């Protein structure tokens, strides 16, 4: 399920498979009855809704009571400077045309490429008040995690690097969660954690109703 035409593209690519339905609809108010889905997987989507907690509750509602499973992915909060820049930046990005946004994404990828090309790494100090984790960093990765999304990955190539920047700044809504916020949400919805995974960019898990 997706409310954009992405679902139609997916149906064109995979419609030949016998056991898949492609539904163009809003995950925040699905028309499914309560407790009807054995296993529900929601990847990188609730954060783009107006009220992600409410979207999550809707997914819980349709997951089967008594051992139905819900897998979900949450964007993680980054260091404070990056969060502040992202928040302000996103409010400016909605005013840009798609072309301008693409150009900016190319510039960010180019910035990442040049920083990465310096081949500088250093030991950053721990600065807990700003959420900056100390340790050995490449300069581009340090700026990336703590200040500005200037994604660049040589192996993935220029196009994918540009798309990754575009994909981050184009949605007008993209909530980030702390670990505590995710776990509180799981608890509030009466779910049990079956599997929990975390890395710098995200939290994800499988939760049992
Ligand atoms: C980052 S993409 C993830 C797409 C896909 N789940 C994946 O993992 O590749 C976010 C998707 O959420 C969709 N989306 C955002 N809000 C939605 C909503 N309320 N209902 C359904 N889809 C929504 C967007 O159209 C977009 O395709």
């Amino acid at each position: 399920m997706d409310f954009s035409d992405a679902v139609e593209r997916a149906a064109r690519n995979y419609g030949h498979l016998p056991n898949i339905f492609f539904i163009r609809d809003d995950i925040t108010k699905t028309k499914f009855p309560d407790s009807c889905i054995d296993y529900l997987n929601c990847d990188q989507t609730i954060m783009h809704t107006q009220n992600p907690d409410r979207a999550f509750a809707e997914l819980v509602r349709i997951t089967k009571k008594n051992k139905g499973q819900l897998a979900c992915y949450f964007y993680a909060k980054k260091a404070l400077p990056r969060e502040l820049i992202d928040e302000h930046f996103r409010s400016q990005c909605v005013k840009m045309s798609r072309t301008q946004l693409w150009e900016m994404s190319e510039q960010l990828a180019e910035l990442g490429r040049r920083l990465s090309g310096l081949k500088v790494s250093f030991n950053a100090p721990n600065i807990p008040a700003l959420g900056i984790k100390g340790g050995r960093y490449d300069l581009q990765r340090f700026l990336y995690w703590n200040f500005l999304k200037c994604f660049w990955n040589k192996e993935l190539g220029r196009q994918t690097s540009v798309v990754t920047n575009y994909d981050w700044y184009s949605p007008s809504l993209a909530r980030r969660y702390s670990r505590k916020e995710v776990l509180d949400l799981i608890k509030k919805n009466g779910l049990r954690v079956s599997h929990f995974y975390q890395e710098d960019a995200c939290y994800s898990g499988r939760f049992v109703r």
Side-chain angles (χ1 to χ4, degrees), residues 1-7 23-29 41-50 55 75 167 171:
M1 181 181 292
D2 194 298
F3 70 3
S4 75
D5 60 3
V7 86
I23 303 170
R24 188 165 185 176
D25 211 344
D26 185 345
I27 61 158
T28 66
K29 32 183 188 266
N41 181 27
C42 182
D43 191 22
Q44 305 187 48
T45 298
I46 62 164
M47 288 81 55
H48 298 297
T49 64
Q50 288 285 352
Y75 297 135
D167 186 55

Side-chain angles (χ1 to χ4, degrees), residues 33-40 59-70 191 207-209:
D34 291 355
S35 186
C36 69
I37 297 182
D38 298 307
Y39 177 81
L40 193 158
L59 301 180
V60 174
R61 179 187 73 75
I62 61 178
T63 302
K64 254 194 192 140
K65 272 187 194 151
N66 217 349
K67 303 225 168 78
Q69 295 202 17
L70 165 55
L191 303 174
F207 313 106
V208 183
R209 189 167 181 208

